Coordinates of all heavy atoms in Angstrom, one line a residue:
M6 N 58.5 -186.6 112.1 CA 57.3 -187.1 111.4 C 56.3 -187.4 112.5 O 56.4 -188.1 113.4 CB 57.7 -188.4 110.7 CG 56.6 -189.2 110.2 SD 57.0 -190.7 109.4 CE 57.5 -191.7 110.7
F7 N 55.1 -186.7 112.4 CA 54.0 -186.9 113.3 C 52.8 -187.4 112.5 O 52.6 -187.0 111.4 CB 53.7 -185.5 114.0 CG 54.7 -185.1 114.9 CD1 55.8 -184.3 114.5 CD2 54.7 -185.5 116.3 CE1 56.7 -183.9 115.4 CE2 55.7 -185.1 117.2 CZ 56.7 -184.3 116.7
N8 N 52.1 -188.3 113.2 CA 50.9 -188.9 112.6 C 49.8 -188.7 113.6 O 50.0 -188.6 114.8 CB 51.1 -190.4 112.3 CG 52.2 -190.6 111.3 OD1 52.2 -190.0 110.2 ND2 53.1 -191.5 111.6
T9 N 48.6 -188.8 113.1 CA 47.4 -188.8 114.0 C 46.8 -190.2 114.2 O 46.7 -190.9 113.2 CB 46.3 -187.8 113.5 OG1 46.9 -186.5 113.3 CG2 45.2 -187.7 114.4
A10 N 46.5 -190.6 115.4 CA 45.9 -191.9 115.6 C 44.5 -191.6 116.3 O 44.4 -190.7 117.1 CB 46.7 -192.7 116.5
K11 N 43.6 -192.3 115.9 CA 42.2 -192.1 116.4 C 41.7 -193.4 117.0 O 42.0 -194.5 116.6 CB 41.2 -191.7 115.3 CG 41.6 -190.4 114.6 CD 40.6 -190.1 113.6 CE 41.0 -188.7 113.0 NZ 40.0 -188.3 112.0
A12 N 41.0 -193.3 118.1 CA 40.4 -194.4 118.8 C 39.1 -193.9 119.5 O 39.1 -192.9 120.2 CB 41.3 -195.0 119.8
D13 N 38.0 -194.5 119.2 CA 36.7 -194.1 119.8 C 36.4 -192.7 119.4 O 36.4 -192.3 118.2 CB 36.6 -194.4 121.3 CG 36.8 -195.8 121.6 OD1 36.3 -196.7 120.8 OD2 37.4 -196.1 122.7
D14 N 36.3 -191.8 120.3 CA 35.9 -190.4 120.1 C 37.1 -189.4 120.3 O 36.8 -188.2 120.5 CB 34.7 -190.0 120.9 CG 34.9 -190.1 122.4 OD1 35.9 -190.8 122.8 OD2 34.1 -189.6 123.1
W15 N 38.3 -189.9 120.4 CA 39.4 -189.0 120.6 C 40.6 -189.4 119.7 O 40.6 -190.4 119.1 CB 39.9 -189.0 122.1 CG 40.0 -190.4 122.7 CD1 39.0 -191.1 123.3 CD2 41.2 -191.2 122.7 NE1 39.5 -192.3 123.7 CE2 40.8 -192.4 123.4 CE3 42.5 -191.0 122.3 CZ2 41.7 -193.4 123.6 CZ3 43.4 -192.0 122.5 CH2 43.0 -193.2 123.2
E16 N 41.5 -188.5 119.6 CA 42.7 -188.7 118.7 C 43.9 -188.1 119.4 O 43.8 -187.2 120.2 CB 42.5 -188.1 117.3 CG 42.5 -186.6 117.3 CD 42.3 -186.1 115.9 OE1 41.6 -186.8 115.1 OE2 42.8 -185.0 115.6
I17 N 45.1 -188.6 119.0 CA 46.4 -188.1 119.6 C 47.4 -187.9 118.4 O 47.2 -188.5 117.4 CB 47.0 -189.0 120.6 CG1 47.4 -190.4 120.0 CG2 46.1 -189.2 121.8 CD1 48.4 -191.1 120.9
I18 N 48.4 -187.1 118.7 CA 49.5 -186.9 117.7 C 50.6 -187.9 118.2 O 51.0 -187.9 119.3 CB 50.0 -185.5 117.8 CG1 48.9 -184.5 117.5 CG2 51.2 -185.3 116.8 CD1 48.4 -184.4 116.1
I19 N 51.1 -188.7 117.2 CA 52.1 -189.7 117.5 C 53.4 -189.2 116.8 O 53.4 -188.9 115.7 CB 51.7 -191.1 116.9 CG1 50.5 -191.6 117.6 CG2 52.9 -192.1 117.1 CD1 49.9 -192.8 117.0
D20 N 54.5 -189.2 117.6 CA 55.8 -188.9 117.1 C 56.4 -190.1 116.5 O 56.9 -191.1 117.1 CB 56.7 -188.4 118.3 CG 58.1 -188.1 117.9 OD1 58.4 -188.2 116.7 OD2 58.9 -187.6 118.7
G21 N 56.4 -190.2 115.1 CA 56.9 -191.3 114.4 C 58.4 -191.5 114.5 O 58.9 -192.6 114.2
N22 N 59.1 -190.5 115.1 CA 60.6 -190.6 115.3 C 60.9 -190.9 116.7 O 62.1 -190.9 117.1 CB 61.2 -189.4 114.8 CG 61.1 -189.1 113.3 OD1 61.1 -190.1 112.5 ND2 60.9 -187.9 113.0
F23 N 59.9 -191.2 117.5 CA 60.2 -191.4 119.0 C 61.3 -192.4 119.2 O 62.1 -192.2 120.1 CB 58.9 -191.9 119.6 CG 59.0 -192.1 121.1 CD1 58.9 -191.0 122.0 CD2 59.2 -193.3 121.6 CE1 59.0 -191.2 123.4 CE2 59.4 -193.6 123.0 CZ 59.3 -192.5 123.8
C24 N 61.3 -193.5 118.5 CA 62.2 -194.6 118.8 C 63.6 -194.4 118.2 O 64.5 -195.3 118.4 CB 61.6 -195.9 118.3 SG 60.2 -196.4 119.3
D25 N 63.8 -193.4 117.4 CA 65.2 -193.1 116.9 C 66.2 -193.1 118.0 O 66.0 -192.3 119.0 CB 65.2 -191.8 116.1 CG 64.5 -191.9 114.8 OD1 63.9 -193.0 114.5 OD2 64.4 -190.9 114.1
N26 N 67.2 -193.9 118.0 CA 68.3 -193.9 118.9 C 67.9 -194.3 120.3 O 68.5 -193.9 121.3 CB 69.0 -192.6 119.0 CG 69.6 -192.2 117.6 OD1 70.3 -193.0 117.0 ND2 69.3 -191.0 117.2
R27 N 66.8 -195.1 120.4 CA 66.3 -195.6 121.7 C 66.5 -197.1 121.7 O 66.4 -197.8 120.7 CB 64.9 -195.3 122.0 CG 64.6 -193.8 122.3 CD 63.2 -193.7 122.7 NE 62.8 -192.3 122.6 CZ 62.7 -191.5 123.7 NH1 63.0 -191.9 124.9 NH2 62.3 -190.2 123.5
D28 N 66.7 -197.7 122.9 CA 66.7 -199.1 123.0 C 65.4 -199.7 122.7 O 64.3 -199.1 122.9 CB 67.2 -199.5 124.4 CG 68.6 -199.2 124.7 OD1 69.4 -199.1 123.8 OD2 68.9 -199.0 125.9
D29 N 65.3 -201.0 122.3 CA 64.1 -201.7 122.1 C 63.4 -201.8 123.4 O 64.0 -201.9 124.5 CB 64.3 -203.1 121.6 CG 64.8 -203.2 120.1 OD1 64.9 -202.1 119.5 OD2 65.2 -204.3 119.7
G30 N 62.1 -201.6 123.4 CA 61.3 -201.7 124.6 C 60.0 -200.9 124.6 O 59.6 -200.5 123.5
V31 N 59.4 -200.8 125.7 CA 58.1 -200.1 125.8 C 58.3 -198.8 126.6 O 59.0 -198.9 127.7 CB 57.1 -201.0 126.5 CG1 55.8 -200.3 126.8 CG2 56.8 -202.3 125.7
Y32 N 57.7 -197.7 126.1 CA 57.9 -196.4 126.8 C 56.5 -195.8 126.9 O 55.7 -195.8 126.0 CB 58.8 -195.5 125.9 CG 60.2 -196.0 125.7 CD1 60.5 -197.0 124.7 CD2 61.2 -195.6 126.5 CE1 61.8 -197.4 124.6 CE2 62.5 -196.1 126.4 CZ 62.8 -197.0 125.4 OH 64.1 -197.4 125.2
G33 N 56.3 -195.2 128.1 CA 55.1 -194.5 128.3 C 55.0 -193.2 127.5 O 56.0 -192.6 127.1
N34 N 53.8 -192.9 127.1 CA 53.6 -191.6 126.3 C 53.2 -190.6 127.4 O 52.1 -190.5 127.9 CB 52.4 -191.8 125.3 CG 52.1 -190.6 124.5 OD1 52.6 -189.5 124.8 ND2 51.3 -190.7 123.5
L35 N 54.2 -189.7 127.6 CA 54.0 -188.7 128.7 C 52.9 -187.7 128.4 O 52.4 -187.0 129.3 CB 55.3 -188.0 129.0 CG 56.4 -189.0 129.5 CD1 57.7 -188.2 129.7 CD2 56.0 -189.7 130.7
S36 N 52.6 -187.5 127.1 CA 51.5 -186.5 126.8 C 50.1 -187.1 126.8 O 49.2 -186.3 126.9 CB 51.8 -185.9 125.4 OG 51.7 -186.9 124.4
D37 N 50.0 -188.4 126.8 CA 48.7 -189.0 126.9 C 48.8 -190.5 127.3 O 49.3 -191.3 126.6 CB 48.0 -189.0 125.5 CG 46.6 -189.4 125.5 OD1 46.2 -190.2 126.3 OD2 45.8 -188.9 124.7
C38 N 48.4 -190.7 128.6 CA 48.6 -192.0 129.2 C 47.8 -193.1 128.6 O 47.9 -194.3 128.9 CB 48.5 -192.0 130.7 SG 46.8 -191.5 131.2
R39 N 46.9 -192.8 127.7 CA 46.0 -193.8 127.0 C 46.8 -194.6 125.9 O 46.4 -195.6 125.4 CB 44.8 -193.2 126.4 CG 43.9 -192.6 127.5 CD 42.7 -191.9 126.8 NE 43.2 -190.7 126.2 CZ 42.5 -189.7 125.7 NH1 41.2 -189.8 125.7 NH2 43.0 -188.7 125.1
W40 N 48.0 -194.1 125.6 CA 48.8 -194.7 124.6 C 50.2 -194.9 125.1 O 50.7 -194.2 126.0 CB 48.9 -193.7 123.4 CG 47.6 -193.6 122.6 CD1 46.6 -192.7 122.9 CD2 47.2 -194.3 121.5 NE1 45.6 -192.9 122.0 CE2 46.0 -193.8 121.1 CE3 47.8 -195.2 120.7 CZ2 45.3 -194.3 120.0 CZ3 47.1 -195.7 119.6 CH2 45.9 -195.3 119.3
Y41 N 51.0 -195.8 124.5 CA 52.4 -196.0 124.8 C 53.1 -196.3 123.5 O 52.5 -196.6 122.5 CB 52.6 -197.1 125.9 CG 52.2 -198.5 125.4 CD1 53.1 -199.4 124.9 CD2 50.8 -198.9 125.6 CE1 52.7 -200.6 124.5 CE2 50.4 -200.2 125.2 CZ 51.4 -201.0 124.7 OH 51.0 -202.3 124.3
Y42 N 54.4 -196.2 123.6 CA 55.2 -196.5 122.4 C 55.9 -197.8 122.6 O 56.4 -198.1 123.7 CB 56.3 -195.4 122.2 CG 55.7 -194.0 121.7 CD1 55.7 -193.0 122.6 CD2 55.3 -193.9 120.5 CE1 55.2 -191.7 122.2 CE2 54.8 -192.7 120.0 CZ 54.8 -191.6 120.9 OH 54.3 -190.4 120.5
Q43 N 56.0 -198.6 121.5 CA 56.8 -199.8 121.5 C 57.9 -199.6 120.5 O 57.6 -199.3 119.3 CB 56.0 -201.0 121.2 CG 56.7 -202.3 121.3 CD 55.8 -203.5 121.1 OE1 54.6 -203.3 120.7 NE2 56.3 -204.7 121.4
C44 N 59.2 -199.7 120.9 CA 60.3 -199.6 120.0 C 60.9 -200.9 119.6 O 61.1 -201.7 120.5 CB 61.3 -198.7 120.6 SG 60.8 -197.0 121.1
F45 N 61.2 -201.1 118.4 CA 61.9 -202.3 117.9 C 62.8 -201.9 116.7 O 62.2 -201.4 115.7 CB 61.0 -203.4 117.6 CG 61.6 -204.6 117.1 CD1 62.3 -205.4 118.0 CD2 61.6 -205.0 115.8 CE1 63.0 -206.6 117.6 CE2 62.2 -206.2 115.3 CZ 62.9 -207.0 116.2
E46 N 64.1 -202.0 116.9 CA 65.0 -201.7 115.8 C 64.8 -200.3 115.2 O 64.7 -200.1 114.0 CB 65.0 -202.8 114.7 CG 65.4 -204.1 115.2 CD 65.4 -205.2 114.1 OE1 64.9 -205.0 113.0 OE2 65.9 -206.3 114.4
N47 N 64.7 -199.3 116.1 CA 64.5 -197.9 115.8 C 63.2 -197.6 115.1 O 63.0 -196.6 114.5 CB 65.7 -197.4 115.0 CG 66.9 -197.2 115.8 OD1 66.8 -196.9 117.0 ND2 68.0 -197.5 115.2
R48 N 62.2 -198.6 115.1 CA 60.9 -198.3 114.5 C 59.9 -198.1 115.6 O 60.0 -198.7 116.7 CB 60.4 -199.5 113.7 CG 61.3 -199.7 112.4 CD 60.8 -200.8 111.6 NE 61.1 -202.1 112.4 CZ 61.1 -203.3 111.9 NH1 60.7 -203.5 110.7 NH2 61.4 -204.3 112.7
T49 N 59.0 -197.1 115.4 CA 58.1 -196.7 116.4 C 56.7 -197.3 116.1 O 56.2 -197.2 115.0 CB 57.9 -195.2 116.4 OG1 59.2 -194.6 116.6 CG2 57.0 -194.7 117.4
A50 N 56.1 -197.9 117.1 CA 54.7 -198.3 117.1 C 54.0 -197.7 118.3 O 54.5 -197.8 119.4 CB 54.6 -199.8 117.1
A51 N 52.8 -197.1 118.0 CA 52.0 -196.6 119.1 C 50.9 -197.6 119.4 O 50.3 -198.1 118.5 CB 51.4 -195.2 118.7
R52 N 50.8 -197.9 120.7 CA 49.8 -198.9 121.1 C 48.8 -198.2 122.1 O 49.2 -197.4 122.9 CB 50.5 -200.1 121.8 CG 51.6 -200.7 121.0 CD 51.0 -201.7 120.0 NE 52.1 -202.4 119.3 CZ 52.2 -202.6 118.0 NH1 51.3 -202.1 117.2 NH2 53.2 -203.3 117.5
Q53 N 47.6 -198.7 122.0 CA 46.6 -198.2 122.9 C 46.6 -199.0 124.2 O 46.7 -200.3 124.1 CB 45.2 -198.2 122.3 CG 44.2 -197.6 123.1 CD 42.8 -197.5 122.4 OE1 42.7 -198.0 121.3 NE2 41.8 -197.0 123.0
C54 N 46.6 -198.4 125.4 CA 46.5 -199.1 126.6 C 45.2 -199.8 126.7 O 44.2 -199.4 126.3 CB 46.7 -198.1 127.8 SG 48.2 -197.3 127.8
S55 N 45.2 -201.0 127.4 CA 44.0 -201.7 127.7 C 43.1 -200.9 128.6 O 43.5 -200.1 129.4 CB 44.4 -203.1 128.3 OG 45.2 -203.8 127.6
A56 N 41.8 -201.2 128.4 CA 40.8 -200.5 129.3 C 41.1 -200.7 130.7 O 41.4 -201.8 131.1 CB 39.4 -201.0 128.9
G57 N 41.1 -199.6 131.5 CA 41.3 -199.7 132.9 C 42.8 -199.7 133.3 O 43.1 -199.7 134.5
S58 N 43.7 -199.6 132.4 CA 45.1 -199.7 132.7 C 45.8 -198.3 132.8 O 46.9 -198.2 133.0 CB 45.9 -200.5 131.7 OG 45.8 -200.0 130.4
F59 N 45.0 -197.2 132.5 CA 45.6 -195.9 132.5 C 44.9 -195.1 133.6 O 43.9 -195.4 134.1 CB 45.5 -195.2 131.2 CG 44.2 -195.1 130.5 CD1 43.3 -194.1 130.8 CD2 43.8 -196.1 129.6 CE1 42.1 -194.1 130.1 CE2 42.6 -196.1 128.9 CZ 41.7 -195.1 129.2

């Protein structure tokens, strides 16, 4: 399951199944460092990095 997320003037594709079978925690998005994944109980949340942190 892939979704599109938009911020400002760009967008990324988010893998909604990223957290399946992963431990809870924060994981870098290797395809776009402006976003990261947060996993909790096999649920995926995509978060935008703070300005200046990527």
